[in-house]
Structures are given as C-alpha cells and as structure tokens.
Amino acid sequence: LTDLRKIVETRNASSLSLLVLSFQLGATSLWVIYAALIRDGFMLLPNLLGLLLVLVQAAVKCKFGGAEEASRSKTPECQA
C-alpha cells in the first residue's frame, strides 16, 4: 500500500498483481481462520489487519485496474 497515493492520483493500479493479491488473500484468510479456531487473539489481530489491507488493495485493483483500463471504472478480472 505504499504506492496507494500514486495509484489513486494516476488511476492506474497495474503495479498491483492480481495473482499476488489472490495468494495474499488466501494465506491471510487461512491464518485468520486458524487463529479463530485456536482462540489466539495475539495471532488473530495482526492477521485481521492484514486481511483488511489485502481487501483494500483488491478494491483499488478492481477500481483502477491497469494502464489499458485506466479509462474504465472496473477491470475485466473484477467484473462478474
């Protein structure tokens, strides 16, 4: 999220990889589930924050897309 300001200003999120975001979402979700199952708040809190950040990144990717989709509001990967 260090480039969030630049992405919003340029309306170009091509620097965010959809594949990497997918793996981040999967891994963080599994850690959240595990922490909840063993009821470990010290593990749950940072992973919930990480999950929130990954969701923000995914929303930015869906909204701004890449260079070729700069004029659109959504990328084809995010449309249902």
Coordinates of all heavy atoms in Angstrom, one line a residue:
L1 N 0.8 -1.2 0.0 CA 0.0 0.0 0.0 C 0.8 1.3 0.0 O 0.3 2.3 0.1 CB -0.9 0.0 1.2 CG -2.1 -0.9 1.1 CD1 -2.9 -0.9 2.4 CD2 -3.0 -0.6 0.0
T2 N 2.1 1.1 -0.1 CA 3.0 2.3 -0.1 C 2.8 3.2 -1.4 O 3.0 4.4 -1.3 CB 4.5 1.9 -0.1 OG1 4.8 1.1 -1.2 CG2 4.8 1.2 1.2
D3 N 2.3 2.6 -2.4 CA 2.0 3.3 -3.7 C 0.6 3.8 -3.8 O 0.2 4.2 -4.9 CB 2.4 2.5 -4.9 CG 3.9 2.3 -5.0 OD1 4.7 3.1 -4.5 OD2 4.3 1.2 -5.5
L4 N -0.2 3.6 -2.8 CA -1.6 3.9 -2.9 C -1.9 5.3 -3.4 O -2.8 5.5 -4.2 CB -2.3 3.7 -1.5 CG -3.8 3.8 -1.5 CD1 -4.5 2.9 -2.5 CD2 -4.4 3.6 -0.1
R5 N -1.2 6.3 -2.8 CA -1.4 7.7 -3.3 C -1.1 7.8 -4.8 O -1.9 8.5 -5.5 CB -0.5 8.6 -2.5 CG -0.7 10.1 -2.8 CD 0.2 10.9 -1.9 NE 0.1 12.3 -2.3 CZ 0.8 13.3 -1.8 NH1 1.6 13.1 -0.9 NH2 0.6 14.5 -2.3
K6 N 0.0 7.3 -5.2 CA 0.3 7.3 -6.7 C -0.7 6.6 -7.5 O -1.1 7.1 -8.6 CB 1.7 6.7 -6.9 CG 2.2 6.8 -8.3 CD 3.6 6.2 -8.4 CE 3.6 5.2 -9.5 NZ 4.8 4.5 -9.6
I7 N -1.2 5.5 -7.0 CA -2.2 4.7 -7.8 C -3.5 5.5 -7.9 O -4.1 5.6 -9.0 CB -2.5 3.4 -7.1 CG1 -1.3 2.5 -7.3 CG2 -3.7 2.7 -7.7 CD1 -1.3 1.2 -6.5
V8 N -3.9 6.2 -6.8 CA -5.2 7.0 -6.8 C -5.0 8.2 -7.7 O -5.9 8.6 -8.5 CB -5.6 7.4 -5.4 CG1 -6.7 8.3 -5.4 CG2 -6.0 6.1 -4.6
E9 N -3.8 8.8 -7.6 CA -3.6 10.0 -8.5 C -3.6 9.7 -10.0 O -4.1 10.4 -10.8 CB -2.3 10.7 -8.1 CG -2.4 11.4 -6.7 CD -1.0 12.0 -6.3 OE1 0.0 11.7 -7.0 OE2 -1.0 12.7 -5.3
T10 N -2.9 8.6 -10.3 CA -2.8 8.2 -11.7 C -3.9 7.4 -12.2 O -4.1 7.2 -13.4 CB -1.5 7.5 -12.0 OG1 -1.5 6.3 -11.2 CG2 -0.3 8.3 -11.6
R11 N -4.7 6.9 -11.3 CA -5.9 6.0 -11.6 C -5.4 4.8 -12.4 O -6.0 4.3 -13.4 CB -7.0 6.7 -12.4 CG -7.5 7.9 -11.6 CD -8.6 8.6 -12.3 NE -9.8 7.8 -12.4 CZ -10.8 7.6 -11.5 NH1 -10.7 8.2 -10.4 NH2 -11.8 6.9 -11.8
N12 N -4.2 4.2 -12.0 CA -3.6 3.1 -12.7 C -3.0 2.2 -11.6 O -2.0 2.5 -11.0 CB -2.5 3.6 -13.6 CG -1.8 2.5 -14.4 OD1 -2.1 1.3 -14.2 ND2 -0.9 2.9 -15.2
A13 N -3.6 1.0 -11.5 CA -3.1 0.0 -10.5 C -2.4 -1.2 -11.1 O -2.5 -2.3 -10.6 CB -4.3 -0.5 -9.7
S14 N -1.8 -0.9 -12.2 CA -1.1 -2.0 -12.9 C 0.1 -2.6 -12.1 O 0.5 -3.7 -12.4 CB -0.6 -1.6 -14.3 OG 0.3 -0.5 -14.2
S15 N 0.6 -1.8 -11.1 CA 1.7 -2.3 -10.3 C 1.2 -3.3 -9.3 O 2.0 -4.0 -8.7 CB 2.3 -1.1 -9.6 OG 1.4 -0.5 -8.7
L16 N -0.1 -3.5 -9.1 CA -0.7 -4.5 -8.2 C -1.0 -5.8 -9.0 O -1.8 -5.7 -9.9 CB -1.9 -4.0 -7.5 CG -1.8 -2.8 -6.6 CD1 -3.2 -2.4 -6.0 CD2 -0.9 -3.2 -5.4
S17 N -0.3 -6.8 -8.6 CA -0.5 -8.1 -9.3 C -1.8 -8.8 -8.8 O -1.9 -9.0 -7.6 CB 0.7 -9.0 -9.2 OG 0.4 -10.3 -9.6
L18 N -2.7 -9.2 -9.7 CA -3.9 -9.9 -9.2 C -3.5 -11.3 -8.7 O -4.1 -11.7 -7.7 CB -4.9 -10.0 -10.4 CG -6.3 -10.5 -10.1 CD1 -6.9 -9.6 -9.1 CD2 -7.1 -10.7 -11.3
L19 N -2.5 -11.9 -9.2 CA -2.1 -13.2 -8.7 C -1.5 -13.1 -7.3 O -1.9 -13.9 -6.4 CB -1.0 -13.8 -9.7 CG -0.5 -15.2 -9.3 CD1 -1.6 -16.2 -9.4 CD2 0.6 -15.6 -10.2
V20 N -0.7 -12.1 -7.1 CA -0.1 -11.9 -5.7 C -1.2 -11.6 -4.7 O -1.2 -12.1 -3.6 CB 1.0 -10.8 -5.8 CG1 1.4 -10.5 -4.4 CG2 2.2 -11.3 -6.6
L21 N -2.2 -10.7 -5.1 CA -3.3 -10.4 -4.3 C -4.1 -11.6 -3.9 O -4.5 -11.8 -2.8 CB -4.2 -9.3 -4.9 CG -3.6 -7.9 -5.0 CD1 -4.5 -7.0 -5.8 CD2 -3.5 -7.4 -3.6
S22 N -4.3 -12.5 -4.9 CA -5.1 -13.7 -4.6 C -4.4 -14.6 -3.6 O -5.0 -15.1 -2.7 CB -5.2 -14.5 -5.9 OG -5.9 -13.8 -6.9
F23 N -3.1 -14.8 -3.7 CA -2.3 -15.6 -2.8 C -2.3 -14.9 -1.4 O -2.4 -15.6 -0.4 CB -0.9 -15.9 -3.3 CG -0.9 -17.0 -4.3 CD1 -0.5 -16.7 -5.6 CD2 -1.1 -18.3 -3.9 CE1 -0.5 -17.7 -6.5 CE2 -1.1 -19.3 -4.9 CZ -0.8 -19.0 -6.2
Q24 N -2.1 -13.6 -1.4 CA -2.2 -12.9 -0.1 C -3.5 -13.1 0.6 O -3.6 -13.3 1.8 CB -1.9 -11.4 -0.3 CG -0.5 -11.1 -0.6 CD -0.3 -9.6 -0.9 OE1 -1.2 -8.9 -1.3 NE2 0.9 -9.1 -0.6
L25 N -4.6 -13.0 -0.2 CA -5.9 -13.1 0.4 C -6.1 -14.5 0.9 O -6.6 -14.7 2.1 CB -7.0 -12.8 -0.7 CG -8.4 -12.9 -0.2 CD1 -8.7 -11.9 0.9 CD2 -9.3 -12.7 -1.4
G26 N -5.7 -15.5 0.2 CA -5.8 -16.9 0.6 C -5.0 -17.2 1.9 O -5.6 -17.8 2.9
A27 N -3.8 -16.8 1.9 CA -2.9 -17.1 3.0 C -3.4 -16.4 4.3 O -3.5 -17.0 5.4 CB -1.5 -16.7 2.7
T28 N -3.7 -15.1 4.2 CA -4.2 -14.3 5.3 C -5.5 -14.9 5.9 O -5.7 -14.9 7.1 CB -4.3 -12.8 5.0 OG1 -3.1 -12.4 4.4 CG2 -4.5 -12.0 6.2
S29 N -6.4 -15.2 5.0 CA -7.7 -15.8 5.4 C -7.5 -17.1 6.2 O -8.1 -17.3 7.2 CB -8.6 -16.1 4.2 OG -8.9 -14.9 3.5
L30 N -6.6 -17.9 5.7 CA -6.3 -19.2 6.4 C -5.7 -18.9 7.8 O -6.1 -19.6 8.8 CB -5.3 -20.1 5.6 CG -6.0 -20.7 4.4 CD1 -4.9 -21.4 3.6 CD2 -7.1 -21.6 4.7
W31 N -4.8 -17.9 7.9 CA -4.3 -17.6 9.3 C -5.4 -17.0 10.2 O -5.4 -17.3 11.4 CB -3.1 -16.6 9.1 CG -1.8 -17.2 8.8 CD1 -1.1 -17.1 7.6 CD2 -1.1 -18.1 9.6 NE1 0.0 -17.9 7.7 CE2 0.1 -18.5 8.9 CE3 -1.2 -18.6 10.9 CZ2 1.0 -19.3 9.4 CZ3 -0.2 -19.4 11.4 CH2 0.9 -19.8 10.7
V32 N -6.3 -16.2 9.6 CA -7.4 -15.7 10.4 C -8.3 -16.9 10.9 O -8.6 -16.9 12.1 CB -8.2 -14.7 9.6 CG1 -9.5 -14.4 10.3 CG2 -7.4 -13.4 9.4
I33 N -8.6 -17.8 10.1 CA -9.4 -19.0 10.5 C -8.7 -19.8 11.5 O -9.3 -20.2 12.5 CB -9.7 -19.8 9.2 CG1 -10.7 -19.0 8.3 CG2 -10.3 -21.1 9.6 CD1 -10.9 -19.7 6.9
Y34 N -7.4 -20.0 11.3 CA -6.6 -20.8 12.3 C -6.6 -20.1 13.6 O -6.8 -20.7 14.7 CB -5.2 -21.1 11.8 CG -4.3 -21.8 12.7 CD1 -4.6 -23.1 13.0 CD2 -3.3 -21.2 13.4 CE1 -3.8 -23.8 14.0 CE2 -2.5 -21.8 14.3 CZ -2.7 -23.2 14.6 OH -1.9 -23.8 15.5
A35 N -6.3 -18.8 13.6 CA -6.2 -18.1 14.9 C -7.6 -18.1 15.6 O -7.6 -18.2 16.8 CB -5.8 -16.6 14.6
A36 N -8.7 -18.0 14.8 CA -10.0 -18.0 15.5 C -10.3 -19.4 16.0 O -10.9 -19.5 17.1 CB -11.1 -17.6 14.4
L37 N -9.9 -20.4 15.4 CA -10.1 -21.8 15.8 C -9.4 -22.1 17.1 O -9.9 -22.8 18.0 CB -9.8 -22.8 14.8 CG -10.7 -22.9 13.6 CD1 -10.1 -23.9 12.5 CD2 -12.1 -23.4 14.0
I38 N -8.2 -21.6 17.2 CA -7.4 -21.9 18.5 C -7.6 -20.7 19.5 O -7.0 -20.8 20.6 CB -5.9 -22.1 18.2 CG1 -5.2 -20.9 17.6 CG2 -5.7 -23.3 17.3 CD1 -3.7 -21.0 17.6
R39 N -8.4 -19.8 19.1 CA -8.7 -18.6 20.0 C -7.5 -17.9 20.5 O -7.3 -17.7 21.7 CB -9.6 -19.1 21.2 CG -10.9 -19.6 20.7 CD -11.8 -20.2 21.7 NE -12.9 -20.8 21.1 CZ -13.9 -21.2 21.7 NH1 -14.0 -21.1 23.0 NH2 -14.9 -21.7 21.0
D40 N -6.6 -17.5 19.6 CA -5.4 -16.8 19.9 C -5.5 -15.4 19.4 O -5.3 -15.1 18.2 CB -4.2 -17.5 19.2 CG -2.9 -16.9 19.6 OD1 -2.9 -15.8 20.2 OD2 -1.9 -17.6 19.3
G41 N -5.8 -14.5 20.3 CA -6.0 -13.1 19.9 C -4.7 -12.4 19.4 O -4.8 -11.5 18.6
F42 N -3.6 -12.9 20.0 CA -2.3 -12.3 19.5 C -2.0 -12.7 18.1 O -1.3 -11.9 17.4 CB -1.2 -12.7 20.4 CG -1.3 -12.2 21.8 CD1 -1.7 -13.0 22.9 CD2 -1.0 -10.8 22.0 CE1 -1.8 -12.4 24.2 CE2 -1.1 -10.3 23.3 CZ -1.5 -11.1 24.4
M43 N -2.5 -13.7 17.6 CA -2.3 -14.1 16.2 C -3.5 -13.6 15.4 O -3.3 -13.2 14.2 CB -2.3 -15.7 16.1 CG -1.9 -16.1 14.7 SD -2.1 -17.9 14.5 CE -1.0 -18.5 15.7
L44 N -4.7 -13.5 15.9 CA -5.8 -13.0 15.2 C -5.8 -11.6 14.8 O -6.0 -11.2 13.6 CB -7.1 -13.3 16.0 CG -8.4 -13.0 15.3 CD1 -8.6 -13.9 14.1 CD2 -9.6 -13.3 16.3
L45 N -5.4 -10.7 15.7 CA -5.5 -9.3 15.5 C -4.6 -8.8 14.3 O -5.0 -8.2 13.4 CB -5.1 -8.5 16.7 CG -5.2 -7.0 16.6 CD1 -6.6 -6.5 16.2 CD2 -4.7 -6.3 17.9
P46 N -3.3 -9.2 14.3 CA -2.5 -8.7 13.2 C -2.9 -9.3 11.8 O -2.8 -8.7 10.8 CB -1.0 -9.2 13.5 CG -1.2 -10.1 14.6 CD -2.5 -9.9 15.3
N47 N -3.4 -10.6 11.9 CA -3.9 -11.2 10.6 C -5.2 -10.6 10.1 O -5.4 -10.5 8.9 CB -4.0 -12.7 10.8 CG -2.6 -13.3 10.7 OD1 -1.9 -13.2 9.7 ND2 -2.2 -13.9 11.8
L48 N -6.1 -10.1 11.0 CA -7.3 -9.4 10.6 C -6.9 -8.1 10.0 O -7.5 -7.7 9.0 CB -8.2 -9.2 11.8 CG -9.1 -10.3 12.2 CD1 -9.8 -10.0 13.5 CD2 -10.1 -10.7 11.1
L49 N -5.9 -7.4 10.6 CA -5.5 -6.1 10.0 C -4.8 -6.4 8.6 O -5.1 -5.6 7.7 CB -4.4 -5.5 10.9 CG -5.0 -4.9 12.2 CD1 -3.9 -4.4 13.1 CD2 -6.0 -3.9 12.0
G50 N -4.1 -7.5 8.5 CA -3.5 -7.8 7.2 C -4.6 -8.1 6.2 O -4.5 -7.8 5.0
L51 N -5.6 -8.8 6.6 CA -6.7 -9.2 5.7 C -7.4 -7.9 5.2 O -7.8 -7.8 4.1 CB -7.7 -10.1 6.4 CG -8.9 -10.6 5.6 CD1 -8.4 -11.4 4.4 CD2 -9.8 -11.5 6.5
L52 N -7.6 -7.0 6.1 CA -8.2 -5.7 5.8 C -7.4 -5.0 4.7 O -7.9 -4.4 3.7 CB -8.4 -4.8 7.0 CG -9.0 -3.4 6.8 CD1 -10.4 -3.5 6.3 CD2 -8.9 -2.6 8.1
L53 N -6.1 -5.0 4.9 CA -5.2 -4.3 3.9 C -5.2 -5.0 2.6 O -5.2 -4.3 1.5 CB -3.8 -4.2 4.5 CG -3.6 -3.3 5.7 CD1 -2.2 -3.4 6.2 CD2 -3.9 -1.9 5.3
V54 N -5.3 -6.3 2.6 CA -5.4 -7.0 1.3 C -6.7 -6.7 0.6 O -6.7 -6.5 -0.6 CB -5.2 -8.6 1.5 CG1 -5.5 -9.3 0.2 CG2 -3.8 -8.9 2.0
L55 N -7.8 -6.6 1.4 CA -9.1 -6.3 0.8 C -9.0 -4.9 0.2 O -9.6 -4.6 -0.9 CB -10.2 -6.5 1.8 CG -10.4 -7.9 2.2 CD1 -11.5 -8.0 3.3 CD2 -10.9 -8.7 1.0
V56 N -8.4 -3.9 0.9 CA -8.2 -2.6 0.3 C -7.5 -2.6 -1.0 O -7.8 -2.0 -1.9 CB -7.6 -1.7 1.4 CG1 -7.1 -0.3 0.8 CG2 -8.5 -1.4 2.6
Q57 N -6.4 -3.4 -1.0 CA -5.6 -3.5 -2.2 C -6.4 -4.1 -3.4 O -6.4 -3.6 -4.5 CB -4.3 -4.3 -2.0 CG -3.3 -3.7 -1.2 CD -2.1 -4.6 -0.9 OE1 -2.2 -5.8 -1.0 NE2 -1.0 -4.0 -0.6
A58 N -7.2 -5.1 -3.1 CA -8.1 -5.7 -4.1 C -9.1 -4.7 -4.6 O -9.4 -4.7 -5.8 CB -8.7 -7.0 -3.5
A59 N -9.7 -3.9 -3.7 CA -10.7 -2.9 -4.1 C -10.0 -1.9 -5.0 O -10.6 -1.5 -6.0 CB -11.3 -2.3 -2.9
V60 N -8.8 -1.5 -4.7 CA -8.1 -0.5 -5.5 C -7.8 -1.1 -6.9 O -8.0 -0.4 -7.9 CB -6.8 0.0 -4.8 CG1 -5.9 0.7 -5.8 CG2 -7.1 0.8 -3.6
K61 N -7.4 -2.4 -6.9 CA -7.1 -3.0 -8.2 C -8.4 -3.1 -9.0 O -8.4 -2.9 -10.2 CB -6.6 -4.4 -7.9 CG -6.3 -5.2 -9.2 CD -5.1 -4.7 -10.0 CE -4.8 -5.6 -11.1 NZ -3.7 -5.0 -12.0
C62 N -9.5 -3.5 -8.4 CA -10.8 -3.5 -9.1 C -11.2 -2.2 -9.6 O -11.8 -2.1 -10.7 CB -11.9 -4.2 -8.2 SG -11.7 -5.9 -8.0
K63 N -11.0 -1.2 -8.8 CA -11.5 0.2 -9.2 C -10.6 0.8 -10.3 O -11.2 1.4 -11.3 CB -11.5 1.1 -8.0 CG -12.1 2.5 -8.3 CD -12.5 3.2 -7.1 CE -13.0 4.6 -7.4 NZ -14.2 4.6 -8.1
F64 N -9.3 0.7 -10.2 CA -8.4 1.4 -11.1 C -7.8 0.6 -12.2 O -7.4 1.1 -13.2 CB -7.4 2.2 -10.3 CG -7.9 3.2 -9.4 CD1 -7.7 3.2 -8.1 CD2 -8.7 4.3 -10.0 CE1 -8.3 4.2 -7.3 CE2 -9.2 5.2 -9.2 CZ -9.0 5.2 -7.8
G65 N -7.6 -0.7 -12.0 CA -7.1 -1.6 -13.0 C -5.7 -1.2 -13.4 O -4.9 -0.7 -12.7
G66 N -5.4 -1.6 -14.7 CA -4.1 -1.3 -15.2 C -4.1 -0.1 -16.2 O -5.1 0.6 -16.3
A67 N -3.0 0.0 -16.9 CA -2.8 1.2 -17.8 C -3.8 1.1 -18.9 O -4.4 2.1 -19.3 CB -1.4 1.2 -18.3
E68 N -4.1 -0.1 -19.5 CA -5.0 -0.2 -20.6 C -6.4 0.0 -20.2 O -7.3 0.3 -21.0 CB -4.8 -1.5 -21.3 CG -5.1 -2.8 -20.5 CD -4.0 -3.2 -19.6 OE1 -2.9 -2.6 -19.6 OE2 -4.2 -4.1 -18.8
E69 N -6.7 -0.2 -18.9 CA -8.1 0.0 -18.4 C -8.2 1.3 -17.6 O -9.2 1.5 -16.8 CB -8.5 -1.1 -17.5 CG -8.6 -2.5 -18.1 CD -7.3 -3.2 -17.9 OE1 -6.5 -2.8 -17.1 OE2 -7.1 -4.3 -18.5
A70 N -7.3 2.3 -17.8 CA -7.4 3.5 -17.0 C -8.6 4.3 -17.1 O -9.1 5.0 -16.2 CB -6.1 4.4 -17.3
S71 N -9.3 4.2 -18.3 CA -10.5 5.0 -18.5 C -11.7 4.3 -18.0 O -12.8 4.9 -17.9 CB -10.6 5.2 -20.0 OG -10.8 4.0 -20.7
R72 N -11.6 3.0 -17.7 CA -12.8 2.2 -17.2 C -12.8 2.3 -15.6 O -11.8 2.6 -15.0 CB -12.7 0.8 -17.6 CG -12.7 0.5 -19.0 CD -12.6 -0.9 -19.3 NE -12.2 -1.2 -20.7 CZ -11.8 -2.3 -21.1 NH1 -11.8 -3.4 -20.3 NH2 -11.5 -2.5 -22.4
S73 N -14.0 2.0 -15.1 CA -14.1 2.0 -13.6 C -13.8 0.7 -13.0 O -13.5 0.6 -11.8 CB -15.5 2.4 -13.2 OG -16.5 1.5 -13.7
K74 N -13.8 -0.4 -13.8 CA -13.5 -1.8 -13.3 C -12.7 -2.5 -14.3 O -12.8 -2.3 -15.5 CB -14.8 -2.6 -13.0 CG -15.6 -2.1 -11.8 CD -16.7 -3.0 -11.6 CE -17.5 -2.6 -10.4 NZ -18.6 -3.5 -10.1
T75 N -11.8 -3.4 -13.8 CA -11.1 -4.2 -14.7 C -11.9 -5.5 -15.1 O -12.8 -5.9 -14.3 CB -9.7 -4.7 -14.1 OG1 -10.0 -5.4 -12.9 CG2 -8.9 -3.5 -13.7
P76 N -11.6 -6.1 -16.2 CA -12.3 -7.3 -16.6 C -12.2 -8.4 -15.5 O -13.1 -9.2 -15.3 CB -11.6 -7.8 -17.9 CG -11.0 -6.5 -18.4 CD -10.6 -5.7 -17.2
E77 N -11.0 -8.5 -14.8 CA -10.8 -9.5 -13.8 C -11.8 -9.4 -12.6 O -12.2 -10.4 -12.0 CB -9.4 -9.5 -13.2 CG -8.3 -9.7 -14.2 CD -7.7 -8.4 -14.7 OE1 -8.2 -7.3 -14.2 OE2 -6.9 -8.5 -15.5
C78 N -12.3 -8.2 -12.4 CA -13.2 -8.0 -11.2 C -14.7 -8.0 -11.6 O -15.5 -7.9 -10.7 CB -12.8 -6.6 -10.6 SG -11.1 -6.6 -10.0
Q79 N -15.0 -8.0 -12.8 CA -16.4 -8.0 -13.2 C -17.0 -9.4 -13.1 O -16.3 -10.3 -13.4 CB -16.6 -7.4 -14.6 CG -16.2 -6.0 -14.7 CD -16.4 -5.5 -16.2 OE1 -16.6 -6.2 -17.1 NE2 -16.2 -4.2 -16.3
A80 N -18.2 -9.4 -12.6 CA -18.9 -10.8 -12.5 C -19.6 -11.1 -13.8 O -20.0 -10.3 -14.5 CB -19.8 -10.7 -11.3

